[in-house]
Amino acid sequence: MTAKQKGWKELPIAGLCWKPSTEYFTGDWRTFKPMLDEEKCTKCLICYIDCPDVAVKWKPEDEKIEFDYNFCKGCGICANVCPSEAIKMVLE
Amino acid sequence: MMSEWKFTIKDLAEKPELLMAGHRACAGCGPAVVYRQILKAARGPIIATNATGCMEVVSTIYPYTAWSIPWIHTAFENVAANAAGIEAALKVMKKKGKLKHDHVDVIAFAGDGGTYDIGLQALSGAAERGHDFLYVLYDNEAYMNTGIQRSGGTPHGAWTTTSPAGRVIPGKLRYKKPITEIMVAHDIPYVATASPSHWKDLIKKTRKGLEVEGTAFLHVLAPCPRGWRYDTSKTIELAHLAVQTCVFPLWEVVDGEYALSAPSKVIALRPERKKPIREYLKGQGRFRHLFKPEFESVIDDLQNIVDKRWRRLLKKCGMD
């Protein structure tokens, strides 16, 4: 939240949403946290395509995946779909 | 003719995220996975419109928006009319030379409430007028946004707050409406069913739906951990089981020609791979009461209807 809120004269009309959701962190909803075992990871990226929260990031330059803990809600889909069991959910 | 678009999962990972992080869907949300996968099939500029529903609420909580493409919310009943209007406006702008792009795709998103029940007339009208847009139905099988009320898409025997399972009734009494067949009967160029567990199939079908001239309809199963009462990590697992048990077979209809998609074709060719419906039901709290002795017959009833619909589908696909 910004210190000074916009008044009705500055707000865009028609209920237009003007802030990107990436400024709102959903990571603190989490109870369990995904941890990646890079030895086991085959980089199949199935966790990436099945993540509801865009919290699995593919870094092509380093050829590896990373979790974005600012947004991960800890649902555990990634650990469940991982064919090589490289992701573990640990209590935060 | 449709182009054969070839892609790998890494190509998709390098495409921009059209539904961004920070939306406030529940942990393990099936519809959010579906939206992300659908939007990965984008081939150029897109305008999206969304009926009232879970994904409309969670993606745009004022003043935040999770959309990085033009997006408009509309009432429950008229998302298809809205998409038709957008498409008609784009056509006129193009004619007058006011459109910067060669082509802009239009996608209408709606849940099962906004499609099976409330939005059916607008969808039927838009399909009949032949507007060129893709309609995506994300089917989480009840009105989850308002707190799990039954819809036309809720399966037989499922518990919801308006079809409570108890001593009198075993959950919902009626059967799931075959909405995809209703859309096939509109004789539109492309109709398909898809599941997020088979992401490649889903993305290919979305691209086909965008490519065809005229209305395309995509019915996607979207498991909901809150409404279906299962652990948040099992979203994709359940979608996969729905395909394997033939509760939700994957098929497409191109210009009236039925064809099974690969994951269901495997089951049609080797029927021993078809799993019993119990495996799908036992993981979900909304069907928990069916495992009590007094409601055991409902499971057989459900198995019968799944088998009947599967046989009917095989016949249509010429695979019986």
Side-chain angles (χ1 to χ4, degrees):
Chain A
M1 282 286 146
T2 47
K4 194 185 172 303
Q5 296 288 324
K6 285 189 185 187
W8 66 273
K9 284 181 186 163
E10 293 99 49
L11 284 172
I13 57 161
L16 191 75
C17 293
W18 46 275
K19 265 187 185 179
S21 63
T22 43
E23 290 178 17
Y24 185 92
F25 295 160
T26 51
D28 54 359
W29 297 14
R30 190 172 57 234
T31 311
F32 292 93
K33 180 180 183 173
M35 297 297 266
L36 178 73
D37 182 346
E38 285 191 34
E39 295 274 289
K40 284 187 187 169
C41 178
T42 59
K43 299 168 184 79
C44 67
L45 295 193
I46 291 173
C47 53
Y48 163 82
I49 204 77
D50 288 339
C51 175
D53 299 302
V54 207
V56 182
K57 300 272 182 209
W58 168 240
K59 305 272 172 201
E61 55 283 2
D62 313 328
E63 279 276 313
K64 67 173 194 176
I65 62 162
E66 260 173 29
F67 296 117
D68 187 341
Y69 293 115
N70 283 334
F71 298 107
C72 172
K73 294 169 189 160
C75 64
I77 290 181
C78 52
N80 194 302
V81 296
C82 182
S84 52
E85 293 176 7
I87 303 173
K88 276 208 171 61
M89 300 302 289
V90 292
L91 192 66
E92 196 135 33
Chain B
M1 267 312 281
M2 293 172 192
S3 66
E4 269 303 311
W5 176 42
K6 294 238 170 14
F7 59 91
T8 63
I9 201 162
K10 281 176 188 154
D11 298 336
L12 299 177
E14 282 161 31
K15 284 180 90 170
E17 297 294 338
L18 303 186
L19 182 76
M20 298 183 295
H23 63 73
R24 283 178 244 179
C26 312
C29 177
V33 182
V34 170
Y35 269 50
R36 277 195 63 219
Q37 294 186 355
I38 295 268
L39 292 165
K40 284 287 171 191
R43 55 172 179 166
I46 289 191
I47 297 177
T49 173
N50 212 138
T52 301
C54 275
M55 283 308 290
E56 168 266 321
V57 174
V58 301
S59 66
T60 51
I61 290 181
Y62 193 80
Y64 298 97
T65 173
W67 294 86
S68 56
I69 53 171
W71 176 91
I72 183 167
H73 165 226
T74 184
F76 236 136
E77 53 273 77
N78 54 6
V79 67
N82 209 19
I86 294 168
E87 190 258 353
L90 287 170
K91 221 187 252 172
V92 170
M93 282 171 75
K94 197 173 177 187
K95 207 154 104 188
K96 291 186 177 171
K98 288 182 180 171
L99 194 65
K100 273 188 267 172
H101 309 280
D102 281 342
H103 185 79
V104 179
D105 288 318
V106 181
I107 304 188
F109 288 101
D112 52 306
T115 308
Y116 281 90
D117 305 344
I118 309 174
L120 190 59
Q121 43 78 22
L123 173 59
S124 180
E128 185 269 325
R129 294 190 300 274
H131 290 282
D132 183 13
F133 71 99
L134 170 67
Y135 190 99
V136 177
L137 153 62
Y138 72 91
D139 190 357
N140 52 20
E141 302 193 324
Y143 291 82
M144 300 309 184
N145 169 37
T146 47
I148 326 170
Q149 288 84 17
R150 63 88 95 181
S151 78
T154 309
H156 181 54
W159 163 92
T160 67
T161 51
T162 48
S163 62
R167 264 166 299 178
V168 185
I169 56 164
K172 191 187 167 190
L173 293 172
R174 303 298 307 156
Y175 299 96
K176 190 179 170 92
K177 192 201 283 187
I179 189 83
T180 330
E181 297 289 354
I182 296 174
M183 291 319 293
V184 173
H186 281 72
D187 213 359
I188 53 178
Y190 191 73
V191 179
T193 65
S195 155
S197 56
H198 298 81
W199 54 272
K200 201 158 194 174
D201 180 67
L202 191 158
I203 293 169
K204 272 189 181 165
K205 281 172 174 168
T206 310
R207 179 57 80 90
K208 278 189 200 170
L210 292 172
E211 279 174 356
V212 289
E213 299 279 328
T215 314
F217 181 82
L218 194 60
H219 181 183
V220 192
L221 188 71
C224 168
R226 296 300 303 126
W228 294 18
R229 301 289 185 210
Y230 64 84
D231 183 78
T232 54
S233 65
K234 298 211 160 60
T235 299
I236 302 297
E237 195 183 309
L238 274 175
H240 204 251
L241 270 173
V243 176
Q244 287 176 320
T245 51
C246 298
V247 170
F248 195 85
L250 303 183
W251 47 281
E252 60 182 354
V253 181
V254 185
D255 289 323
E257 293 293 325
Y258 278 80
L260 279 181
S261 308
S264 286
K265 207 171 183 174
V266 172
I267 300 170
L269 294 172
R270 302 181 64 180
E272 70 276 12
R273 290 200 184 180
K274 182 166 172 284
K275 290 189 175 173
I277 195 169
R278 276 171 189 273
E279 290 194 28
Y280 173 65
L281 302 180
K282 74 182 177 203
Q284 299 174 53
R286 63 174 175 161
F287 292 117
R288 194 176 54 188
H289 54 281
L290 298 185
F291 292 88
K292 287 184 194 159
E294 64 261 40
F295 292 138
E296 199 81 354
S297 64
V298 180
I299 299 185
D300 301 330
D301 199 17
L302 270 166
Q303 184 71 62
N304 281 341
I305 189 101
V306 165
D307 291 347
K308 200 170 90 185
R309 287 184 178 178
W310 173 241
R311 276 198 303 275
R312 208 187 293 159
L313 179 65
L314 288 181
K315 208 175 268 178
K316 283 178 184 160
C317 299
M319 294 196 68
D320 55 331

